[in-house]
Each structure stands twice: as C-alpha cells, then as structure tokens.
Amino acid sequence: MNAIVKVENVGMTFDTKKGRFVALQNVNLQIRQGEVVSLIGHSGCGKSTLLNLIAGLTLPSSGAMICNGREIAGPGPERAVVFQNHSLLPWLTCFENVHLAVERVFGAKEGKDKLKARTNAALEMVHMSHAAQKMPHEISGGMKQRIGIARAFAMEPKILLMDEPFGALDALTRASLQDELIGVMEKTGATVVMVTHDVDEAVLLSDRVVMMTNGPAATIGEILEVKLAKPRDRLQLAHDPHFAECRGAILEFLYQKQMKKAA
Amino acid sequence: MSTATLTSGLVTVGPDTEAASETRDDIMAAKQEAPVAAAPLAHAPAAEPRTSFGEHCSAFLRAVLPPLLGFAFIIGLWALVAMKSSDFPGPAKTLDAAITLFSDPFYQNGPNDQGIGWNILSSLKRVAIGFGVAALVGIPMGFIIGRFAFMNSMLEPIISILRPVSPLAWLPIGLMVFKAADPASTWTIFICSIWPMILNTAQGVQRVPQDYLNVARVLNLSEFKIITKILFPSVLPYMLTGIRLSIGTAWLVIVAAEMLTGGVGIGFWVWDEWNNLKVEHIIIAIFVIGIVGLLLEQCLLLIARRFSYGNN
Ligand SMILES: Nc1ncnc2c1ncn2[C@@H]1O[C@H](COP(=O)(O)OP(=O)(O)O)[C@@H](O)[C@H]1O
Ligand SMILES: [Mg+2]
C-alpha cells in the first residue's frame, strides 16, 4: 500500500499549568496517495492537534509521524495548510498573498512570468481573479477563505491539510465553497486531510471519514469508507441510500457511542 | 505565545462576526458574473444633487459650529477677565501683537533676539535630532527585547525604574557630559522619546499573531522574508504608536528644557518674554506651541492610518 502519511502509535501530551494533559494516545492512521480523509469528532477531542502533527507545526510526544518515508521534523511547503481563519497577511494584496507562496516553492527554478502565471491560475481556479488587487480586509470571509485555498493549492503540495476550512462561514457560502473544493480536488487529484465538525461535509467530500473518540487521551474510534462515485453532486446525494447510511453511521458514532456530557 | 496551533489558539468553532456579513451577493460577486450591476441606479432622480447639497451644508455646520462656539466662548471669557485686570492683555491686544510678530518672523538681532520663526524652528530641530536618535536606538532595542525573553527580563526592571523619571532630571547629566546647553536639551528629548519607542516596539514584536508565524513556518520562508514580509509589517503599527506618543512628550519636554537652558527656542522665548513682561507674547506662544503640537500629532496619525491594514 502506498501510504503517503503514516501515523504510528502517536501520543501527544501537553504540559499545562494544571499538570500534564494527554490529548492524543495510540493514534494509528495511514493516508493513501490521492485520498481525501476527514477527521470528525466532538469539539476539543484533538482533531486540530492531530492535523498540527501532520503539518509538523508541533512534534509528537511519542510514536512516529512519517511523510513520504521520512520522519516529519517540521512544517514544509509539501504539506500546505489552509488555516481555519484564512490567515492571509493583511498588508499584502490577495495576489501578493498567493504569490508569496508560489515564489517560495517555485522561485528557484522558474522565471518571473511563470510565477505570475501560476498565481493567476490559482486565483482563477477559485474564481477570485477579480479580487487579485484587493486587500484582504476589502473582501468577505468566504472570499478570504477562497484565497487561502488558492494559496495552498498554488504550492502544488503533496498533501493538503485543512482545519475546519469553512467553520466560520454561513451555510450558503459553505455549500458554494464545498462545491468549488470538489472541483479543485477533482482537477488536481490532491491528497487532502480535512478537519470538520459537519457530518454532511465529511460524507460529501471524503473517501474516508476518521471518527475520533472524546478526549482526554483521544484516539481513532472508527473509520468509515464512503463508497460514493466521484464527482459527487449534493442534489443527487440527498436521495442516495449509501449517503444516508454513511451519515447515519457517523451520527450514531458521535451521538450514541461518543455522547458528550452536556457541557 | 503558546505552542503553535493551526487555528487561532484553542477556540472551538462557532459563527464569528464575518459570517454575519456573508450574503448571497458575496457568492455572486465571487463567481465574477454580475454584468447586471449598476442597473438600479438608472432612474436616479434629477433633484438629487440639490438635496445632497443641502445635506452637505448641514453636515458641515454640524461639524464646524460646536468648535466655533467653543472658541467664541473661551475668547469671550478671556476678554472678560482681561477687562477686570490691569496687566492681563485682552484678545484684541494679543491679536495686534501677533500680527506684528508674524509679519517678520525671521529677523535676527544677535543670538538672544531672534524672530519667533527661528525660535520655533530651533525647538523643532532639537526635537527632531533627539527623537531621531531615540528612534535609531529604541526601535532596534524594542525588537531585541520583544524577540528574546532573556533580554526582556534583563532590561525590564531597568526600564521600569527609569521610565517614570522626569526627563528634566537628566538635564544636568546632559550639561555635564556635553558641556553645552544645546545638546543637553536634545539629550533630554532623547531620554523622553526612547521609552515609548522601546516599549511599543517590543510589545508589537511580542504580539505578532501566531497565525502569521505559522504561515511563515509552513511556507518555510527565509529569515529575510520573515522579517520583511511578516515581522516588520505587523510591528509597524505599534512602532508608529510609540513614535506618536514620544513626539507628544518630546514637544512637552522641549519647552521646559529650553526654559532651563536658554539659547534660542520657543521655551526660552517664553521665559524671555516673561522677563520683558510681555504677557501677550506668552499667550501667543501658548497658542503656537499648542498648534505645532497638534500638527505633529496629526501628521503621525495620518501616517499611522496609512499603515493600519483595515480590521482584518
Ligand atoms: N498547546 C496546547 N497546550 C495545552 N493544551 C492543548 C494545547 N493544544 C490543544 N490542547 C488541548 O488538547 C485538546 C484537543 O484540542 P484540539 O486539538 O484543539 O481540539 P479540536 O478537536 O477541537 O480541534 C483540548 O482539550 C485542548 O485544550
Ligand atoms: Mg480545532
């Protein structure tokens, strides 16, 4: 099996003021080339922690994280991240934000025109060419998130990590961005790991849904294969029995097996 | 800052303010296909310019009337006080004096009798030098203190002790070191300007959002790019706040310092006019100092606004 990312017996412990806090324990996961995996679980269970580990922004307390046969020692452009709050640099235009990433990844081997073309292509892909010269504060939240996605895809990463990319958006915008993401993933065949708390989103977008148990010491509870043909269409899926089945399985996991005591 | 996390800290997701502003229009605009824009404007009424002119007028009045009333009130009060007192000049007399004074602001009759223009300029020059040197020293120091926790804990107690000291207390030391009045007053400006610059720059460096640093880490930016594209721009607004605060105090302090040292300068001029018992000139000086201070402040606010990147 050609796993691009291997998470082996990973544990994550944080030192806090109240002592040691075991966030993750015994996490085992393999992510295949070209696969879309979503992480779902109750808030605070450790989804972001796991994604940060894959990104290399934090290092595990125990176990091994392997990407492309090598231990993950830190973050790098081959594992691009779409941040939950877009994290565009407010002093750069949308074009410059994307260009900064493009320049970093391809600047050594490609000329200026090629870099510009790449940046423009990335903006075009998320239908944001018209806002290229705008500053981030001049565009809406959904548009910012689009630019964030363009920035990540423009780097042509081996694997794309997204932490609740549409978490802060309203339902309409979210649906339209999901459709856009489906298109982009289809076009690029990217390997994607995505954190979400939205059951429909998980089923709609992913090949596998990784369900996490509640923390502390959270781990992977179940993994669900979504065997729906791609590309998927949200309107047709609404009547698809397998879609309903997947949805049911996740809901059952979240609200029966991992019922959270009312906070 | 805590350990790096992808999201902004440990927040759980919920609708934030941006979600509220999100509308269908945004989606349409994003898809870039909105050729029907401007259509509703087609039948704009012809009478519109007139009403908007009237609105402009009333808005203008609303903005200008209260300050004018304030000035009228204070001048009236001043005239009243001046009538009761024998040696306090009234507004008319002061205006007269001001006109003579400003008709020839740049005369020069020896070192101790120069036009008000020269006095203002030489005060400004001292402020500029003291302030400029303070920026050259203070801003890098702020970066160092903000970046290295060790330097922070090493220098913090010293700064905490020295900062509340009136800069005038440093004047004798300046006189001793430089053996001249002019650099000594520049030295006090340096001292009073440097604290806000160090502290604000350091704070800015400490507050560079973790998200931006994470972007830098994921992109694996070079140290040079991190400084030019991330650290510097995000510290700049803090730095400008420091600069604005210090130019404010510098302008306060220069008047006092010059009163003590003498020479040419607006502070010395005030003292000199007191010795000549020209009270109307002192009143003029108060206005002039106030206006110059206001202009300095406004200039820096303008610059600061240029570098505040919207409420992201
Ligand atoms: N840097 C940290 N220091 C201490 N505790 C942390 C840190 N990061 C995460 N945690 C804790 O780990 C748990 C999982 O957090 P997180 O991965 O953010 O959850 P979520 O699944 O909502 O993304 C939470 O209880 C959180 O308080
Ligand atoms: Mg999270």
Side-chain angles (χ1 to χ4, degrees):
Chain A
M1 191 171 90
N2 53 344
I4 179 167
V5 173
K6 286 187 200 163
V7 181
E8 289 171 352
N9 276 320
V10 161
M12 187 71 202
T13 309
F14 292 109
D15 283 317
T16 64
K17 284 187 202 105
K18 291 186 210 140
R20 293 161 74 76
F21 177 81
V22 181
L24 295 177
Q25 205 170 47
N26 265 325
V27 178
N28 284 289
L29 180 66
Q30 305 218 335
I31 295 159
R32 290 184 287 266
Q33 179 80 45
E35 181 179 41
V36 181
V37 173
S38 48
L39 306 176
I40 199 164
H42 287 289
S43 154
C45 72
K47 305 178 296 286
S48 297
T49 306
L50 181 55
L51 200 78
N52 286 348
L53 286 170
I54 301 175
L57 287 166
T58 47
L59 297 177
S61 320
S62 62
M65 308 278 314
I66 289 153
C67 176
N68 257 344
R70 266 200 258 151
E71 179 107 36
I72 295 175
E78 82 280 0
R79 277 163 286 128
V81 181
V82 175
F83 297 88
Q84 180 182 343
N85 52 354
H86 61 77
S87 292
L88 301 179
L89 301 176
W91 42 84
L92 300 182
T93 63
C94 294
F95 180 91
E96 288 165 338
N97 264 292
V98 177
H99 194 261
L100 186 68
V102 170
E103 198 182 28
R104 178 68 193 95
V105 178
F106 301 104
K109 24 187 198 322
E110 291 178 7
K112 276 200 180 118
D113 292 343
K114 190 81 204 294
L115 298 179
K116 264 193 188 156
R118 272 183 188 277
T119 309
N120 284 325
L123 289 170
E124 178 59 46
M125 192 168 66
V126 294
H127 304 288
M128 287 299 292
S129 304
H130 64 288
Q133 295 312 322
K134 289 225 167 86
M135 303 305 281
H137 68 89
E138 295 173 314
I139 61 178
S140 70
M143 295 187 189
K144 279 183 235 183
Q145 205 53 272
R146 278 189 164 88
I147 304 289
I149 291 173
R151 174 171 67 184
F153 272 103
M155 295 157 72
E156 295 191 353
K158 294 214 177 65
I159 168 163
L160 183 69
L161 306 169
M162 300 198 269
D163 193 355
E164 309 207 17
F166 313 132
L169 305 177
D170 69 291
L172 265 175
T173 312
R174 183 185 306 192
S176 107
L177 279 184
Q178 284 166 352
D179 290 342
E180 214 148 77
L181 189 64
I182 289 178
V184 173
M185 288 191 307
E186 209 59 46
K187 225 184 281 173
T188 54
T191 310
V192 176
V193 180
M194 181 173 83
V195 171
T196 178
H197 59 236
D198 181 333
V199 177
D200 286 352
E201 182 172 277
V203 180
L204 177 69
L205 296 178
S206 22
D207 299 309
R208 284 195 296 161
V209 180
V210 172
M211 294 173 254
M212 296 184 63
T213 63
N214 287 342
T219 186
I220 293 173
E222 290 177 23
I223 297 184
L224 176 83
E225 297 254 358
V226 182
K227 296 189 192 101
L228 293 166
K230 288 183 167 184
R232 295 172 188 162
D233 180 283
R234 71 172 66 246
L235 292 177
Q236 282 164 17
L237 284 186
H239 308 291
D240 190 308
H242 185 62
F243 180 82
E245 208 177 291
C246 291
R247 218 173 157 263
I250 299 172
L251 287 172
E252 190 187 329
F253 178 87
L254 289 178
Y255 297 104
Q256 269 177 9
K257 300 178 190 161
Q258 292 296 322
M259 190 52 213
K260 220 183 175 180
K261 283 142 238 112
Chain B
M1 281 289 156
S2 65
T3 344
T5 44
L6 280 176
T7 58
S8 53
L10 305 173
V11 283
T12 50
V13 189
D16 71 3
T17 45
E18 270 172 5
S21 71
E22 201 73 26
T23 62
R24 235 185 244 264
D25 305 42
D26 292 331
I27 301 164
M28 305 251 301
K31 292 257 154 143
Q32 206 187 1
E33 291 134 0
V36 285
L41 288 177
H43 59 277
E48 206 199 56
R50 240 190 46 133
T51 51
S52 90
F53 177 72
E55 269 166 29
H56 271 122
C57 267
S58 76
F60 179 75
L61 279 182
R62 263 200 305 275
V64 162
L65 211 55
L68 276 182
L69 274 177
F71 277 117
F73 174 75
I74 200 83
I75 289 171
L77 200 69
W78 171 17
L80 219 66
V81 171
M83 268 194 297
K84 300 273 177 217
S85 141
S86 54
D87 41 32
F88 194 70
K93 194 174 167 205
T94 309
L95 187 67
D96 250 13
I99 288 169
T100 8
L101 210 55
F102 282 103
S103 59
D104 185 15
F106 290 110
Y107 73 86
Q108 243 174 343
N109 296 336
N112 283 332
D113 187 11
Q114 301 190 4
I116 186 160
W118 288 123
N119 283 294
I120 295 172
L121 282 182
S122 51
S123 292
L124 279 175
K125 194 183 99 195
R126 282 187 198 114
V127 167
I129 294 174
F131 175 82
V133 177
L136 285 181
V137 177
I139 289 171
M141 241 169 103
F143 265 93
I144 291 170
I145 288 177
R147 202 94 171 100
F148 304 107
F150 176 80
M151 294 304 270
N152 187 15
S153 20
M154 190 172 106
L155 296 174
E156 228 237 71
I158 303 177
I159 294 176
S160 306
I161 290 176
L162 295 184
R163 195 170 54 102
V165 177
S166 162
L168 292 174
W170 292 86
L171 186 61
I173 296 192
L175 285 170
M176 184 192 80
V177 172
F178 298 108
K179 307 219 164 19
D182 194 40
S185 41
T186 306
W187 156 253
T188 56
I189 297 303
F190 168 79
I191 292 287
C192 79
S193 307
I194 198 161
W195 310 124
M197 294 215 233
I198 294 180
L199 294 175
N200 281 282
T201 307
Q203 194 189 40
V205 173
Q206 282 159 353
R207 292 219 185 149
V208 174
Q210 187 63 44
D211 288 333
Y212 300 156
L213 296 177
N214 280 346
V215 170
R217 289 176 66 202
V218 168
L219 295 184
N220 207 349
L221 294 181
S222 62
E223 197 62 30
F224 177 74
K225 282 261 162 157
I226 291 180
I227 291 174
T228 54
K229 297 277 176 184
I230 293 182
L231 274 187
F232 189 76
S234 69
V235 175
L236 194 59
Y238 290 87
M239 240 159 68
L240 287 170
T241 303
I243 288 175
R244 189 162 53 84
L245 292 178
S246 49
I247 208 145
T249 35
W251 191 240
L252 285 180
V253 166
I254 192 67
V255 175
E258 286 170 349
M259 279 184 172
L260 291 171
T261 59
V264 190
I266 191 75
F268 167 71
W269 191 76
V270 169
W271 199 246
D272 205 34
E273 296 309 286
W274 167 240
N275 287 335
N276 301 338
L277 277 178
K278 283 202 185 141
V279 183
E280 63 270 23
H281 282 183
I282 296 177
I283 295 172
I284 293 168
I286 288 172
F287 276 111
V288 167
I289 294 169
I291 290 168
V292 172
L294 185 70
L295 287 179
L296 288 177
E297 171 110 5
Q298 290 301 314
C299 275
L300 281 161
L301 275 179
L302 217 67
I303 298 173
R305 205 162 305 142
R306 162 71 184 74
F307 288 104
S308 74
Y309 316 96
N311 296 319
N312 195 45

